[in-house]
Structure formats: C-alpha cells, structure tokens
Amino acid sequence: MADYKAPLRDMRFVLNEVFEVSKLWAQLPALAETVDAETVEAILEEAGKVTSKSIAPLSRNGDEQGCSWNDTAVTTPDGFSQAYQTYAEGGWVGVGGNPDFGGMGMPKAVSAQVEEMLNSASLAFGLYPMLTSGACVSINTHATEELKATYLPNMYSGVWSGSMCLTEAHAGTDLGIIRTKAEPQADDSYKISGTKIFITGGEHDLTENIIHLVLAKLPDAPAGPKGISLFLVPKFMVNIDGSLGARNTVSCGSIEHKMGIQASATCVINFDEAVGYLIGEPNKGLAAMFTMMNYERLGVGIQGLASGERSYQNAIDYARDRLQSRSPTGAQQPEKMADPIIVHPDVRRMLLTMKALNEGGRAFSTYVAMQLDIAKFSEDDAARQRADELVALLTPVAKAFLTDMGLETTIHGQQVFGGHGYIREWGQEQLVRDVRITQIYEGTNGIQALDLVGRKIVGSGGAYYTLFSDEVRGFITGSDASLSEFTKPLSAALDTLDELTHWILDRSRNNPQEIGAASVEYLHVFGYTIYAYLWAKMAKAALGKESQEDFYASKLGTARFYFARLLPRIHSLSASVKAGSESLFLLDAAQF
C-alpha cells in the first residue's frame, strides 16, 4: 500500500477558493473571533502529519491482528494505544468541541477535513474518536450543565471516550421496540438494564473510561419511539472531585467477527442495573440521539470518501509504475519492455472516475458541513432555519451517496491492481472490506433513501427540495457564458431532478409503495446532480487559472470527465424510478 498523503491542496481549494469559507465565518460572530486562515492552515497541516505518520502505518497490521476479547476485556492491535495517545494529546478528539469545556471550537467545515484524513489513514482507528465526538455533541446540546462539566473536558481531551448504544438483537432500525429499561432512583439517577449489540468502541484499552449513551425506556413510557429516553452510563463512576470511582455494572459480553474494520471493537454490551443519568427530557431520547446521529451520518459519509481517497492514492501510484502492454497509439516509453498501465483507456476511465467522485465528494461533505455551521452559529433566524432544512434534506444523501460511491471507488482501485488487488499485502482488498460497513451502519442506505424521499421530500411537500433547487438555479442564472459548458448540462440535470421530484410527490398521494420503490434510485439521481452543481462551482473557481498551475488544469479536465461520463447515469436511474412499484409486487413471497 502506498504511503498516505493528506490531500491538503485540494482541501484548501474547496475551503478557500470554491466556498470562500472565511467570508462565511466573518458573518458568524461566534466564529469570527476564534477562526482565522492561519489557525485553519495550521490545523490542516498538523492533522496531515499525525494521520500520515502516526496512524496510517498501523492500518494493515491493525487489520491483520484485529481486536481480541478475553473475559469482558478488549485489547486493540499493537500500536493503537500509543497512536491514540498521540492523537488525543494533540487535541484532535475535541477539534470541533465546545471551548467552554476544552474543545478547539473549530467549525464543522474544518473538522470534516480532519475526519477525512483520519479515516483515510485508518477507518478502524478513526471510529474511536468519531464516536466520542458524536457523543460529545449530544451531551453538549442536551445534558445538564453538571453533566457537561463532569464529562466533556475528559472526552474532548481523549482521556475518556464515548459510545452510542442503540441497537438490540431484535430491534435494528425499529428502535421503538427496544427492551432496555431505566428504573428511576431516589438520587435522580437511573438503573439501566438490557443488552445492546453492534456497539462500536463499546470496550477497549485506549482510554481510562468509556461514556456510553444508551437508549432505554422508563417504566411508564408510551409505546413506540415516543417512549425512548437517552441516558449517560459511564464504565467507571466519577467521584465528586472528578477522579474515577468503582466500576459500573457495564460489561462486554463479546466482540463481533466481521468482514472488515477488524481493529475496531464492535461489542455486545450488557447493562446490569448500571447507574445512568438522564440526558434531555424523558421520552425524548430519540431526538437527543439524532443530534449525535446527524453528525455521525455525515461522518460515515466522510468515511466513504476517505476510503475512496486512500484507494485512489494507491491506484495512481501503481498505474504509473506497473508496466503492461503498449498504448493503443504506439509505445509511449519505447526504452522499456512495456508502457505503464496509465496509458490504457480503461485504466484511465477507472482512475478518472475515482478522482471525480472523490473530489466531488469532498466538496459535498464540506458543503453540508457549512450548512451545519450556519445552523449552529448564525444569529439570523431565517438563515439558521434554511440551513437546518438543507441539513435535514442533504444528510441522508451525504451518508448514502458518499458511501455508495466509496464502495465503487475502492472497487475501481482494486481493479486497477488486477490480480494484486485481490492480494492482502497491497491493501486494496482491505479498503473494499472496510468501506462496506459504511453502507450499513447509522441506518442502511436503503433507510437513508426512505428518509430522503418519505420524510424530507414527501413529508415537506417538496419545500425542502425547493431550497436546494432554487439555490442551484440561482447559481446557473448568475454564471456568465464562460461557464456554459458546465451550467447547461447542470441545468438539464436539475430539470430531470425537478421532474422526478414532482413525479414522486404526485404518485405517492395515491400509492404509498411508490416511495420505497423509487427511493434508492432517486437518491442517486439527487447525488449525481449535487455533484454536478459542485463540479460546476469547482470549474468556476479553476477557470482561467489552468495556465498558472497544473492543479487547475487537472480540476477542469476532471470536471469535463464528470459531466461527460458520470452525470449521464441519471437517465437510466430516472427511467427506473418512473417504472413505478408495480413490477416489485408481481411475485408472491413463496415465488421468490
């Protein structure tokens, strides 16, 4: 596997030239005084160093060795503990955290770049701080001041970590039927009892304490999802002076044997009347947990992007060095026995597809992160509401489309290697195995598509969609003729998406099956159209600069490839949507 190099040049381009984030931050008083170009540059540089030098070298051994479980204790692979301490001591766990409790307070647009670098270095390693950061978001937003002061400083510093305990063996996405119980106690604490499965980082040896966020039901809770509450349950109790006390009755019953992310401990966690504390209001735990999950869903999307970036870096190095056959137009390096495989059209197709999807994905994740920043920090009610609604609309697309494209991109990278892509030593097959989980957890991509179409499109009567569509129309009409080679196909793609959206809104009124039948293909049409919008914005930022630097010429060439070879995928997807739901129900269950 090639050494990982953080794509800092492209990150700077997206932040500074495409989105001009400094202008946004200047309009947000909470950020204007704490975020400046020099600080952001230093963060990107240092994050690039720690991820490439301390974490990336652990990826393959972490996969080979994996985590081990023995009598409730979990041991992570060699080197993980030391690397985690290095990462934590640099303040990286709390890069986006509340400064009042020791976080850096960086906007999500910045922390998203750090997340990408971390997950490119090692997806399995990155899950530990990712879950901690997400837990901190829910605690900071919904917990009491006392709980914040007790837990956030040590979580932001990486001394303690966090986990998210939702799933139970009988209840996956349907959280309304969970059985974990919470019994109120006289001291305002609760006794939590139940078993959770698939708990990432539920037990490990990286930190001295683990803070579990647990969904459970109170004795008098109403049935279904409206009866869920959220609780903070520490592995070790915390004394009044902040020191660690007795072990709570929380234990790891086993760890899962998985297809990938072997160095990430995926645990069965048992709560046996464990002491917990209510976060937020009773029976409103799902809303509090979704505060964490929305950040995590974007984070999972970034994992898909990060895996694709690592695969591309490996593949481009290999394609430049691997000699195989001659170019169709004749020998390009006649002094050698064969030409490097990068001369072949099909190899270029794969490499350009990877490059276009990665760079489009980076722009997309940053765009969604910026909406999160506006929703969090803006003092303008209208701007905050608009950003909230865009986040609601785009988060399922970010999670599903970025991870679907991540799998496609890692598979292309594996294919570039030919037979060597199937061999473990080269690292490409690990990326395929690792990224596959991203399409499943935090809600499968089919569930994300149902969320997009059912709740965000149909549920809002198309209002959320109109926010996005109007923004893109405004960009198109505000662009001059020099950008027409990009804005014309973008306009046509948006017309297709508009028509498809109205088709679903109309058909779903009379047939509820149309939502589920259309959702996955519709989400992909949406994703490719978003990428077209962002590629047009990137082309605008690069146009006229191509003679100054190869970077800009490469950006424009990749944009043209995207519009010529990838955006047309929307036509077959649209045809599938408009085929309707009827063909899905031609067979009885026994006929499958």
Side-chain angles (χ1 to χ4, degrees), residues 174-178 216-217 221-229 283 286:
D174 190 0
L175 294 171
I177 61 173
I178 63 170
K217 289 194 170 185
K226 292 183 179 180
I228 298 174
S229 298
N283 303 324
L286 205 55

Side-chain angles (χ1 to χ4, degrees), residues 232-469:
L232 184 156
V233 183
K235 174 181 174 180
F236 287 97
M237 302 303 297
V238 180
N239 298 320
I240 294 176
D241 63 359
S243 63
L244 294 184
R247 173 77 182 255
N248 206 353
T249 50
V250 179
S251 62
C252 176
S254 64
I255 59 175
E256 304 293 349
H257 304 281
K258 309 185 296 290
M259 174 180 174
I261 54 168
Q262 305 293 351
S264 171
T266 306
C267 305
V268 174
I269 300 293
N270 299 312
F271 300 91
D272 300 300
E273 295 191 339
V275 177
Y277 307 95
L278 182 68
I279 294 179
E281 299 180 39
N283 303 324
K284 294 188 178 179
L286 205 55
M289 182 62 83
F290 266 99
T291 299
M292 175 182 184
M293 284 190 67
N294 278 333
Y295 271 74
E296 300 289 16
R297 285 198 288 172
L298 176 58
V300 171
I302 291 171
Q303 290 179 331
L305 163 64
S307 300
E309 173 65 29
R310 188 75 186 271
S311 183
Y312 174 72
Q313 290 191 18
N314 296 341
I316 192 64
D317 278 6
Y318 185 83
R320 286 169 175 156
D321 291 340
R322 172 70 169 173
L323 302 179
Q324 191 79 45
S325 306
R326 291 295 186 186
S327 166
T329 58
Q332 302 298 300
Q333 295 189 13
E335 73 282 3
K336 296 181 178 179
M337 66 180 71
D339 288 327
I341 61 173
I342 198 170
V343 304
H344 301 302
D346 188 55
V347 173
R348 285 177 163 260
R349 175 190 63 82
M350 291 186 286
L351 292 172
L352 277 165
T353 298
M354 297 170 76
K355 189 175 190 294
L357 293 177
N358 287 343
E359 293 175 16
R362 184 170 298 115
F364 182 34
S365 63
T366 303
Y367 176 79
V368 177
M370 289 171 61
Q371 305 311 313
L372 284 167
D373 289 334
I374 295 169
K376 180 178 180 180
F377 295 112
S378 179
E379 296 181 353
D380 183 315
D381 290 343
R384 194 166 56 248
Q385 180 179 345
R386 180 182 183 277
D388 264 330
E389 292 174 355
L390 276 174
V391 167
L393 175 73
L394 297 177
T395 294
V397 186
K399 191 278 180 182
F401 196 69
L402 283 167
T403 57
D404 283 346
M405 297 305 101
L407 180 65
E408 176 178 342
T409 303
T410 56
I411 289 174
H412 281 313
Q414 185 183 38
Q415 192 74 11
V416 168
F417 276 69
H420 292 295
Y422 200 66
I423 304 301
R424 293 169 71 170
E425 287 81 353
W426 289 91
Q428 291 295 70
E429 61 85 35
Q430 179 190 337
L431 293 171
V432 175
R433 288 187 289 106
D434 283 354
V435 79
R436 185 63 183 88
I437 186 58
T438 64
Q439 297 170 294
I440 297 172
Y441 58 20
E442 300 299 339
T444 64
N445 286 357
I447 294 296
Q448 304 300 324
L450 283 172
D451 179 36
L452 171 67
V453 179
R455 294 178 182 169
K456 308 306 168 52
I457 300 295
V458 175
S460 73
Y464 288 3
Y465 172 77
T466 300
L467 291 175
F468 169 77
S469 180

